Amino acid sequence: MADLPATPTPASASSLPPGVTDPDYKPPEGRLGNLSVPQQHALEKLKKELQDNGAYVEERMDDATLLRFLRARKWDVPLAKQMLLEAEKWRKEIDVDDIVKNFNFAEKAEVDKYYPQFYHKTDKDGRPLYVERLGFINVTKLHEITTQERQVKSLVLEYEKFQHERLPACVKAIGHPVETSCTILDLKNVGLKAFWDVKGYVQEASKIGQNYYPETMGKFYIINAPWMFSTVWSVIKNWLDPVTVAKINIPSGDGKKELLAQIPAENLPVEFGGLCKCVGGCSLSDAGPWNPKAEAAAETGIAQ
C-alpha cells in the first residue's frame, strides 16, 4: 500500500511521518502529525541548538527521537537538551556502538532459566510485547552463569535492537508509527529476598530505560503480585518518573482479562492465558515482525 499523503492532522503544525499506510491512524498528541505550534517550535529550537553546538547526530536524532526527549521533559527545551546530551555522554562511556557491534550474550539460554526477559510478538496496537518473569530468579545460579555487567550490556543491546530492528518492523507491519512497548512483569512466586537480591540490577535497568531511552513505555502490566508487593512497589516507584508510574496497570490475580483485552490471544504465551506455545518456548523464540521466520514457526505452536 502506498504511503498516505504527508499532511498534518487538523490543527497540527507538523506533517505525518513517512511510511504511514493505515488510513485510520490518528497521531497521539505531541507526535509527528499532531503537534501544536509551540511544540513544533520547541522541536525546531532543540534541533537547531544541537546543530549549532556540533552535538547533532543525524542517525540517532530524527524528529521522532527529539520529540521523545521533549515529551520526557514536558517540552522544556533546555532540560530536553540536557537529557539528550547526558544520554550521548553515557553512550560514549559504556561504548554502546561497540556493544551493538561486538557483544555476544552467549549465556542467554542459560540465563533464561533463572531470569526470563524477552520480546515476543506484538499487542493489538502493534507494539512489541516484552516480558520479565521475576519469579524465576535464582541469583546463585545467575552468578555462576553471568555477571551484572554482562546483564546490563545485554539490556542495552536489546534496547538498541528494539529501536533499530523491532520498532521499524512493527511500523511496516501495522502501517503507522510505533514508538513504545507493551510490558508484562510477572511476579508469580516472587519472594521478598529474591527481589532484594536483584535490586541493584533492576534499579540500573530502570535508570537506563528512563534516562537514555525515554518515552518507550506504552502499556505496562504487573501481574500475579504477591501479598507483600506493596512493600516492593513502594521502593520501585521511587525510582520511576511519576509519568511512568501512571502508565502501570496492576490488575488483580493473573490479569488474564486485562492482558487479552490488549494482546491478541495468538500472540500471548499460554502461561499468561493466551494461545501461543512456541516450539522451544516463547522466551527464546524471538518471534515477531522483526523475525518473520521465527514468527511463522511460532504460528505452528498456537494452542487449539
Side-chain angles (χ1 to χ4, degrees), residues 283-295:
S283 62
L284 292 174
S285 72
D286 196 29
W290 53 88
N291 191 350
K293 186 179 291 186
E295 187 165 47

Side-chain angles (χ1 to χ4, degrees), residues 5 12 48 78 97 136 175 188 192 215 239 262 276 287 296:
S12 174
K48 186 174 188 307
D97 291 342
F136 281 71
K188 187 175 182 179
L192 197 56
E215 293 288 305
W239 305 338
Q262 182 62 36
C276 192

Side-chain angles (χ1 to χ4, degrees), residues 41-55:
H41 287 170
L43 172 61
E44 292 168 357
K45 182 179 180 185
L46 175 58
K47 181 186 285 189
K48 186 174 188 307
E49 288 189 7
L50 291 168
Q51 290 171 336
D52 291 347
N53 295 343

Side-chain angles (χ1 to χ4, degrees), residues 169-183:
C170 290
V171 169
K172 186 176 180 180
I174 202 164
H176 63 67
V178 179
E179 297 183 309
T180 60
S181 62
C182 176
T183 295

Side-chain angles (χ1 to χ4, degrees), residues 215-241:
E215 293 288 305
T216 54
M217 179 192 293
K219 300 281 186 177
F220 195 114
Y221 299 90
I222 297 178
I223 62 171
N224 295 313
W227 63 269
M228 56 73 179
F229 179 67
S230 58
T231 301
V232 175
W233 180 237
S234 66
V235 175
I236 294 176
K237 69 180 182 181
N238 289 326
W239 305 338
L240 304 175
D241 182 272

